[in-house]
Amino acid sequence: MSTYPVRVEARLEEPLSRGLWIVKWFLAIPHYIVLGFLWIAFGVLTVIAFFAILFTGRYPRALFDFNLGVLRWTWRVAYYTYGALGTDRYPPFTLGPAPDYPATLDIDYPERLSRGLVLIKWWLLAIPHYLIVGLFTSGSVISWRGDLPDDSGGVLYTLDWGGLIGLLVLIAALFLLFTGRYPQGLYDLVIGMNRWSLRVAAYAALMTDAYPPFRLEQGGHELPRMDARPARSPVRHGAASVVAITLGALLAFAGIATAATTTGTALLDGTRDSAGFISTPAGRVSTPAYALTTEQISVAGQGVRFLRESVGRVRIETTGTPLFIGIARQADVTAYLGGVAHERITHLAYPPGETRYDHHPGTAPASAPAAETFWATSGSGSLTWDIQPGDWAAVIMNADGSPGVTTDITVAATLPWLYRLTWGLLIATVILLSAGTGLVLAGIRLAAAPAPGPARRAPTP
């Protein structure tokens, strides 16, 4: 029998400092920064490997060794810090194997991988393991506080306690603080959970087709290997190769983000109506009073030009019985509705939300809204407004000024910038993906397998 192709080894280096663990989070900051970029590259390269496996049945060796290096680096930093606290030796900054470090990780390179299995193993088949690893590595206590006095609805509180590994390592840290010793049984259990987690990570990252075993192999050493297959020389990534692949992956990641944004803006631009307007969903408003008003809209200085170029023309529409809609300066609206029962919309919610209002008590208006002359623009059931400088407010009323206003409101704008933005994002996507792909390929070319050592000549009898 042979062990699982993902081999996680560890060696407890005692004596350990009683208090160094308190500041290891600070000491490891340089590693966290580098790993942040490396894991973005890891994700992008895994997507590339997915398609390579799907079409060729092979995981490109250069990408495999880079991603293996990221997992190795991560395991070393986790072992030094709060994934195990198993050593006080500072982790090296390398993607290589670092066999002298007390935490090592190795994965057998698969010569062939299943083209069909790659479609389902990383999400469907791995679900049972995700549940277990989630218990090992993360855990949350969630509480909800509703009915707050400020009418904000409620607050969701989440406390992440770090999972079983984090809890056990905290206990080990307290043992170190007070006794200077790391309990062996506790250490073996922590390493077993980390080993399980790293096996699942490698399987989910498509680096093996061997399904992770449901067993907790505790302790620092794997089961002995019984096969003696010759190992293929790994690809060595020098500094130039690592920088090129990481930078290329970051650019490709940015290209994927701009591609998603381009798709969104293109779909939004495709929702224009025949008049060139893009509308929001309808929001329900209702009041037993005589009028509904909006918050004050202030347009001044350079904001006029900016809003005209970004928002364009604005349209407000109501459904059902045509209602009077008008836009006027805030001072005129305040004078007209002074002493009139009305409500100001403070939050227009779309289903299933609830619109909120600020109520102003009063009596009936002295005249119907259409009889007033201060409106900058008005209409029955719909109006269109070209943005002008000043302090403005919109008013919705029954045409005869009677109480009780209920309708659905849609707000639309022409958004003249959207077409140009879509094309700009498309061009940026092409540039970023091309540059990122080129740098990744250049990094792969810069990586080279070590030259084989001189062959040993058999002794002459």
Side-chain angles (χ1 to χ4, degrees):
M1 295 179 59
S2 63
T3 59
Y4 189 69
V6 180
R7 293 179 297 283
V8 180
E9 297 277 340
R11 182 177 70 255
L12 182 61
E13 285 197 329
E14 291 184 314
L16 294 168
S17 169
R18 289 174 178 257
L20 184 62
W21 61 271
I22 299 175
V23 296
K24 282 185 175 180
W25 65 269
F26 178 76
L27 299 177
I29 286 177
H31 281 285
Y32 293 150
I33 294 173
V34 176
L35 282 173
F37 291 104
L38 289 178
W39 270 99
I40 293 176
F42 183 97
V44 174
L45 296 182
T46 300
V47 174
I48 296 174
F50 171 87
F51 289 102
I53 297 168
L54 184 63
F55 293 112
T56 69
R58 295 177 60 86
Y59 199 125
R61 185 59 192 258
L63 304 188
F64 181 89
D65 284 303
F66 184 92
N67 282 354
L68 172 57
V70 176
L71 289 177
R72 282 171 171 160
W73 196 324
T74 303
W75 170 226
R76 288 193 292 259
V77 174
Y79 190 74
Y80 171 75
T81 57
Y82 308 105
L85 292 178
T87 183
D88 288 339
R89 195 191 312 183
Y90 199 70
F93 286 84
T94 178
L95 294 172
D100 60 328
Y101 196 75
T104 61
L105 169 66
D106 197 16
I107 304 175
D108 292 337
Y109 176 71
E111 296 294 339
R112 301 293 298 179
L113 289 168
S114 169
R115 299 185 186 186
L117 201 58
V118 73
L119 296 172
I120 59 172
K121 67 180 183 181
W122 54 274
W123 65 278
L124 179 61
L125 300 183
I127 287 177
H129 280 288
Y130 290 156
L131 298 176
I132 297 172
V133 170
L135 180 64
F136 289 166
T137 60
S138 66
S140 298
V141 177
I142 301 175
S143 62
W144 173 264
R145 179 186 174 193
D147 298 326
L148 298 181
D150 61 355
D151 198 30
S152 60
V155 178
L156 184 67
Y157 295 94
T158 302
L159 174 63
D160 193 337
W161 49 273
L164 288 178
I165 292 177
L167 181 61
L168 294 178
V169 170
L170 175 60
I171 295 173
L174 296 177
F175 267 97
L176 284 174
L177 182 63
F178 293 107
T179 70
R181 294 183 59 255
Y182 199 131
Q184 186 64 46
L186 191 61
Y187 172 81
D188 291 342
L189 182 57
V190 167
I191 300 304
M193 292 182 179
N194 277 288
R195 179 176 288 117
W196 194 320
S197 302
L198 287 167
R199 287 174 173 176
V200 174
Y203 181 76
L206 315 178
M207 302 178 78
T208 180
D209 278 347
Y211 196 71
F214 283 93
R215 62 173 182 263
L216 187 63
E217 296 181 15
Q218 301 184 49
H221 299 291
E222 292 270 358
L223 296 175
R225 291 184 61 85
M226 302 302 294
D227 59 344
R229 291 176 294 174
R232 180 174 174 179
S233 297
V235 174
R236 301 295 183 184
H237 290 273
S241 173
V242 171
V243 170
I245 291 178
T246 302
L247 182 58
L250 290 173
L251 291 177
F253 179 79
I256 294 171
T258 57
T261 307
T262 303
T263 302
T265 58
L267 292 175
L268 181 62
D269 192 61
T271 62
R272 293 184 185 274
D273 59 21
S274 58
F277 284 88
I278 298 175
S279 300
T280 65
R284 171 57 60 113
V285 294
S286 180
T287 178
Y290 292 90
L292 287 167
T293 68
T294 63
E295 298 269 15
Q296 177 176 298
I297 304 169
S298 297
V299 184
Q302 295 297 320
V304 180
R305 180 178 177 183
F306 173 76
L307 288 174
R308 286 175 178 172
E309 292 180 352
S310 59
V311 177
R313 304 184 72 198
V314 176
R315 185 180 67 196
I316 302 176
E317 289 183 305
T318 60
T319 60
T321 302
L323 300 175
F324 173 86
I325 307 174
I327 293 180
R329 295 189 181 275
Q330 180 67 59
D332 293 328
V333 171
T334 301
Y336 175 60
L337 295 179
V340 175
H342 67 280
E343 290 188 305
R344 180 170 54 89
I345 301 171
T346 59
H347 175 71
L348 179 60
Y350 304 108
E354 181 178 352
T355 300
R356 294 195 290 269
Y357 309 91
D358 185 9
H359 181 68
H360 296 266
T363 59
S367 60
E372 301 295 333
T373 60
F374 57 77
W375 303 108
T377 181
S378 62
S380 178
S382 175
L383 68 75
T384 302
W385 182 48
D386 292 315
I387 296 174
Q388 302 294 330
D391 296 330
W392 305 92
V395 178
I396 301 175
M397 301 177 64
N398 290 319
D400 58 0
S402 60
V405 179
T406 299
T407 187
D408 291 328
I409 300 177
T410 58
V411 181
T414 54
L415 304 181
W417 52 269
L418 191 59
Y419 180 78
R420 298 191 298 271
L421 176 64
T422 301
W423 277 101
L425 287 172
L426 180 60
I427 294 171
T429 298
V430 173
I431 294 173
L432 289 171
L433 290 178
S434 300
T437 302
L439 282 173
V440 170
L441 294 177
I444 293 173
R445 288 180 178 272
L446 289 172
R456 295 186 177 182
R457 187 170 54 186
T460 304

